[in-house]
Amino acid sequence: MVCGTAFFINFIAIYYHASRAIPFGTMVAVCCICFFVILPLNLVGTILGRNLSGQPNFPCRVNAVPRPIPEKKWFMEPAVIVCLGGILPFGSIFIEMYFIFTSFWAYKIYYVYGFMMLVLVILCIVTVCVTIVCTYFLLNAEDYRWQWTSFLSAASTAVYVYMYSFYYYFFKTK
């Protein structure tokens, strides 16, 4: 979907003779690399990995029937953890997002790239810490389905950034 969108936008740029348009031959070369190098290597790696690994040797006996998850408080539910997990990382980049959106939509020059790098480092650290805490809460509640919840608790920051971009565009720009 991303490649298709990029192709579509690039075709529009080629139609308007934009100077930043990627040449058609380069786009075809990238697609050929994806189809004739990356895809076969993924398939070969999958086949070799499944066939050469042998039988799994778990250190303990695994029960075929999953253990029931005990009742939890409302704030320990995975949906609540996912929704609340992105607030703190988004709060760490909120002000910088304002300046970046101002440079995009208000035609102002953005020139503090060093500070943006520092904010990116802070975002990464805060996201890792929030994910560790959310995973700890889930494991402490004996929820063995913690993998996607821990991933989505960090990924929900992107949803907040997306919602803030709509808010900024519709209410802060003219």
Side-chain angles (χ1 to χ4, degrees):
M1 298 238 345
V2 172
C3 289
T5 305
F7 264 68
F8 179 72
I9 291 172
N10 196 51
F11 282 133
I12 293 172
I14 290 173
Y15 177 77
Y16 284 110
H17 303 292
S19 62
R20 299 288 176 140
I22 301 170
F24 182 74
T26 305
M27 292 190 319
V28 170
V30 169
C31 283
C32 287
I33 289 171
C34 287
F35 287 124
F36 298 119
V37 176
I38 296 173
L39 184 65
L41 286 175
N42 276 321
L43 293 175
V44 168
T46 301
I47 291 169
L48 289 176
R50 287 187 180 165
N51 292 333
L52 295 179
S53 65
Q55 292 294 335
N57 187 13
F58 297 118
C60 59
R61 190 174 53 89
V62 178
N63 195 355
V65 179
R67 187 173 163 214
I69 299 171
E71 285 291 322
K72 312 182 252 209
K73 304 233 182 214
W74 65 272
F75 55 86
M76 297 295 285
E77 292 295 326
V80 176
I81 290 176
V82 167
C83 290
L84 295 179
I87 291 177
L88 194 61
F90 175 72
S92 68
I93 62 168
F94 171 72
I95 300 300
E96 191 65 21
M97 292 296 298
Y98 173 80
F99 292 119
I100 291 171
F101 288 154
T102 301
S103 69
F104 282 158
W105 289 313
Y107 303 108
K108 295 187 178 183
I109 297 173
Y110 186 79
Y111 51 86
V112 283
Y113 295 109
F115 187 70
M116 184 172 62
M117 181 61 102
L118 177 68
V119 169
L120 176 67
V121 169
I122 290 171
L123 172 68
C124 291
I125 291 171
V126 171
T127 303
V128 166
C129 291
V130 165
T131 304
I132 289 171
V133 168
C134 290
T135 306
Y136 173 77
F137 284 156
L138 287 170
L139 290 176
N140 198 25
E142 298 179 13
D143 191 350
Y144 55 86
R145 301 169 302 173
W146 58 270
Q147 291 92 352
W148 280 107
T149 308
S150 65
F151 171 76
L152 292 174
S153 68
S156 64
T157 304
V159 174
Y160 288 111
V161 170
Y162 193 63
M163 290 189 311
Y164 180 67
S165 67
F166 277 110
Y167 168 77
Y168 185 89
Y169 182 75
F170 288 116
F171 295 110
K172 295 290 185 181
T173 59
K174 294 180 177 139

